[in-house]
């Protein structure tokens, strides 16, 4: 499904929509648990237009906790990007971090044009059907934020609180063209160090990270192929929907204006995907989001820095930063 088809479907979803009848959970009194915070790995089976695929997810915290935090990554990333955020919030939530299909340990789709937001939304609803949260908070980086926006805009949305990490309702044609160019590349590396150097260059807008954090991102971004070379851990076919679209801006204000839950927008102050003007407009319409801009960062804040994690904690847990 093309971006144009996605937009048309979103408009049909929203035609005649009324505000959701459920009352969003604006917050809750944090209840710290003593449950071990070690990560667990599981998967679900999802269905798309051309068959069944497996989506892997990582889970932290008490598996019986009805308060769920779902963290969804960016276009070429994996659920392991959220390890530090998940570890910090696992005492308060059952934290779920999926590898969106085509990335990480999840399956690759056979028909590359199926890599679309509606399919990702469908997969997340399948996941929610398994974990059955009583309260659902969502953190979405870039693509993960678009998935969250789409779901939060629906009548009777299950999302009670939404954090959008450097994404909004306007996607420029220039940024989409840039993404389509680099995502479709298939580089290979002779060593893990060479792979890390590439990722440090490509993801420099993430901002200043420690050597240990760069190594963590690298270990979960690449794999060895049958020839022993290191290759990126995502399907280059995820670029196909971008490469087949005309060079047009994408306008998602209709989605934004339908969202009713409390929303936080994080923006890298140097981001080329979410402009300051769009971010400011997001505070005045739709859910009238709270906006926090992160200095010295582009697209997108890595959410690995303690100060960035504290901003998310403060919003989700309704308490002051430590």
């Amino acid at each position: 499904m093309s971006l144009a088809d996605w937009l048309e479907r979103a408009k049909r979803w929203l035609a005649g929509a009324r505000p959701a009848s459920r009352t969003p959970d604006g917050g809750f009194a944090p209840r710290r648990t003593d449950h071990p915070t070690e990560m667990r790995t599981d998967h679900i089976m999802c269905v798309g237009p051309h068959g069944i695929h497996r989506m892997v997810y990582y889970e932290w915290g008490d598996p019986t906790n009805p308060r769920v935090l779902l963290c969804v990554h960016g276009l070429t990333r994996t659920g392991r990007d959220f390890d530090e955020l998940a570890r910090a919030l696992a005492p308060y939530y059952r934290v779920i971090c999926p590898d969106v299909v085509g990335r990480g340990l999840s399956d690759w789709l056979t028909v590359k044009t199926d890599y679309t937001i509606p399919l990702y939304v469908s997969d997340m609803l399948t996941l929610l059907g398994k974990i059955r949260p009583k309260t659902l908070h969502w953190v979405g980086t870039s693509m993960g934020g678009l998935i969250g926006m789409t779901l939060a805009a629906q009548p009777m949305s299950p999302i009670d609180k939404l954090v959008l990490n450097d994404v909004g309702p306007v996607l420029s044609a220039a940024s989409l063209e840039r993404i389509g160019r680099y995502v479709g590349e298939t580089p290979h590396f002779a060593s893990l160090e060479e792979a890390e150097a590439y990722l440090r260059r490509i993801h420099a807008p993430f901002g200043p990270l420690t050597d240990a954090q760069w190594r963590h991102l690298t270990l979960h971004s690449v794999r060895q192929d049958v020839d022993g070379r290191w290759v990126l851990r995502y399907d280059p076919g995820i670029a196909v929907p971008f490469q087949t679209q005309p060079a047009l801006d994408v306008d998602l204000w209709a989605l934004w204006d339908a969202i009713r839950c409390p929303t936080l927008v994080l923006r890298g102050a140097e981001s080329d995907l979410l402009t300051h003007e769009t971010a400011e407009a997001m505070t005045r319409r739709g859910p009238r989001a709270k906006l926090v801009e992160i200095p010295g960062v582009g697209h997108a804040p890595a959410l690995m820095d303690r100060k960035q994690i504290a901003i998310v904690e403060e919003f989700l847990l309704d308490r002051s930063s430590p």
Side-chain angles (χ1 to χ4, degrees), residues 192-214:
L192 196 59
E193 290 71 24
E194 187 177 319
E196 182 176 326
Y198 170 85
L199 291 168
R200 283 180 181 245
R201 183 174 71 255
I202 292 296
H203 295 309
F206 285 4
L209 301 178
T210 67
D211 289 344
Q213 289 169 338
W214 279 117

Side-chain angles (χ1 to χ4, degrees), residues 77-90:
R77 304 303 310 147
T78 81
R80 298 301 304 273
D81 285 9
F82 295 107
D83 280 11
E84 293 192 35
L85 180 67
R87 191 175 293 110
L89 288 169

Side-chain angles (χ1 to χ4, degrees), residues 75-76 102-103 108 176-189 194-195 197-199 201-203 221-223 229-243:
L75 183 66
T76 64
R103 291 87 169 170
W108 291 10
L176 293 175
E177 284 186 308
R178 175 179 56 80
I179 290 169
R181 285 195 301 271
Y182 90 80
V183 172
E185 296 177 353
T186 55
H188 58 270
F189 314 101
E194 187 177 319
Y198 170 85
L199 291 168
R201 183 174 71 255
I202 292 296
H203 295 309
S221 298
V222 298
R223 60 179 175 83
R229 301 176 302 179
W230 294 92
V231 295
L232 298 173
R233 197 182 283 275
Y234 66 81
D235 182 358
I238 64 176
V240 170
F242 293 90
Q243 296 167 341

Side-chain angles (χ1 to χ4, degrees), residues 213-224:
Q213 289 169 338
W214 279 117
R215 179 49 59 101
H216 173 85
L217 292 178
T218 302
L219 287 172
H220 299 291
S221 298
V222 298
R223 60 179 175 83
Q224 282 188 290

Side-chain angles (χ1 to χ4, degrees), residues 3 171-178 181 241-250:
L3 282 172
L171 307 176
S172 72
S175 65
L176 293 175
E177 284 186 308
R178 175 179 56 80
R181 285 195 301 271
F242 293 90
Q243 296 167 341
T244 57
Q245 297 308 304
L248 299 172
D249 291 349
V250 175

Side-chain angles (χ1 to χ4, degrees), residues 101-182:
V101 64
R103 291 87 169 170
L105 301 182
S106 293
D107 287 345
W108 291 10
L109 298 178
T110 55
V111 179
K112 308 311 178 185
T113 52
D114 287 347
Y115 285 121
T116 60
I117 297 294
L119 181 133
Y120 304 150
V121 170
S122 176
D123 286 358
M124 296 306 157
L125 287 172
T126 301
L127 176 59
L128 293 174
K130 177 180 179 179
I131 62 180
R132 300 178 63 84
K134 182 177 180 181
T135 299
L136 177 63
H137 292 176
W138 185 291
V139 173
T141 294
S142 194
M143 179 190 73
L146 292 177
I147 299 168
M149 279 177 52
T150 304
L151 186 54
Q154 307 313 311
M156 300 302 293
S157 169
I159 298 178
D160 298 301
K161 269 193 173 183
L162 177 64
V163 177
L164 299 179
N165 186 20
D166 210 64
V167 70
V170 177
L171 307 176
S172 72
S175 65
L176 293 175
E177 284 186 308
R178 175 179 56 80
I179 290 169
R181 285 195 301 271
Y182 90 80

